[in-house]
Amino acid sequence: MFYNKTMNRLYTPWADKIDTTQYPRPQMVRDSFQPLDGKWKYLIQKGDLTFIPDENTNFEGDILVPFSPESILSGVERTLLADEVLVYRTNFSRKQNAPRALLHFGAVDYECRVYLNGYLVCTHTGGYTPFEAEVSQFIEDENTLDVCVVDPSDSKPISRGKQTTNHGGIWYAPTSGIWQSVWLEYLPKLYVKSIKITPDLDNKLVKILALTNAGEMPFTVRLGKKDYVCDGGELSIPIEDLIEWSPENPYLYNFTLMAGEDTVKSYFAMRKFSLGTREDGKPCFMLNNKPYFMTGLLDQGYWSDGLYTAPSDEALEYDILLAKSCGFNTLRKHIKIEPLRWYYHCDRLGMIVWQDFVNGGGKYNPFAILLLPNMGINVKDSHYGFYARKDKKGKELYYKEMDEVVATLYNSPSIALWTTFNEGWGQFDSNKVTEYLLSLDRTRLIDSTSGWSDQGGKIKSIHKYFVPFKMPKREKRPVSLSEYGGYSLREEDHSYSDKIFGYAKMKDAEELNAALKKLWTNEIIPAREKGLCAAIYTQLSDVEEEVNGIVTYDRKVVKVDKDLMKSLNEKLCGK
């Protein structure tokens, strides 16, 4: 177990409201949905993925899927070690006799093999992206589903985010195994495999590309009361009386896509993110071709009871609505990919998302990466050893995961910006990586090197703690303060540990709110007037020892004055 006597078992308000009935993929909704979340059998033992479960496998207890075994909601509270294998088993009945059956996994950390009725139906590597298997030839009336998982965590230079077995400070408990929903769909012989949606605000149209399991095939889109038919390839639909999406008016267009006998429900929004200039000539971020200041919170996406997994859909909504109530219009999802329902709530509630890719790599010297740029020395990130990125396979996996992440999240209207590397973690060839990312997605902004090791990307991205923030002189690029603040306040009965991490310690809420008012008034608002175009405060919630959230880890105590924060953010945004 990773808990000890100094650490508290904190439950969120939704711990007893766990709900697995919500459709996990809101932009590809079908009527045939069979959730498989719930109590499964589990076994943890020394071994690797050569282990094949059978009828003699001796399971040791129950685990609540989709919560990782390290979490308290899983019922296990045990860390999967690098030399161990985690084995799951559940039994289910087939609900429909359709020609096709698809088995979906939202995410499994880190590498897994999936067996249905003893047959290996798929494998997957990478802990943050969804995958599926067509199991039509293996499914029976009564079924046994086994999943075997290994997770090297921080023992190898893989993409792992803030997970570590030696957690503390800004590093958090590891998560392993199934941590997003598992479900089945029953489909006709020909079915829609993917949809790609690209809004074109300037030309007042939306482009929709639908691929089936047979490749490009004819499909029909029903938008409002009109049907638009495509013989194959990309369909362009003109948008009459266009309504722009924004945090102030998060309007979504719902549509239905039909291919053969398959029907899928989805949505899109008309919006455009770009770089431009303000009336005073200073560079800025643009939303729908107009200057737009993005004020946000760093969002780690951790939960005191579920770790990587929110206890309920309502919990996901809570964080977004809390941020909005404080006047924030942006969340920077920090080094983690969320379940698709989180992005759906950002889309419909009106919250801009900055999406980080998940960092990996080896252990570099952060003081060298931080101090040298402050001395005017930027070491090129083609020097892989300096950034602990010599591992060729790790770099190849980064590109593979980028492909998967962009394909998974491309359709989400709320995502405005990708962050490829954060503070030098796993950084390599950032300019080449940025060009590759542009080949996948030209509809969003890119923060190539957030924080410390600037390699000349299109955005000047700054992290500033401990000392006052001042706008850089003679900077011609848009300036983003992509991390700042981090003021800590520990709430006695709502803290995970006796240890405290933060960038400025506050004794009570009154001192915290006074410090925030001073920070906004003396540094951030004046910087906006001088050209600052975005500011991301650290952070949304406490996470373990890091108690610098505006709300506690268990989401039970909001530490900031929401009216004060809303007022400060309105001034910051020029309202």
Side-chain angles (χ1 to χ4, degrees), residues 202-214:
D202 293 338
N203 293 303
K204 298 183 178 180
L205 57 86
V206 63
K207 299 174 183 178
I208 299 177
L209 174 65
L211 296 178
T212 72
N213 57 318

Side-chain angles (χ1 to χ4, degrees), residues 90-91 135 176 214-215 384 411 488 496:
T90 191
N91 297 297
V135 295
S176 305
Y384 303 142
N411 293 337
S488 64
Y496 166 91

Side-chain angles (χ1 to χ4, degrees), residues 231-248:
D231 292 333
E234 189 174 66
L235 174 65
S236 292
I237 301 175
I239 305 298
E240 301 173 359
D241 301 321
L242 185 148
I243 302 174
E244 297 177 349
W245 182 96
S246 70
E248 295 74 27

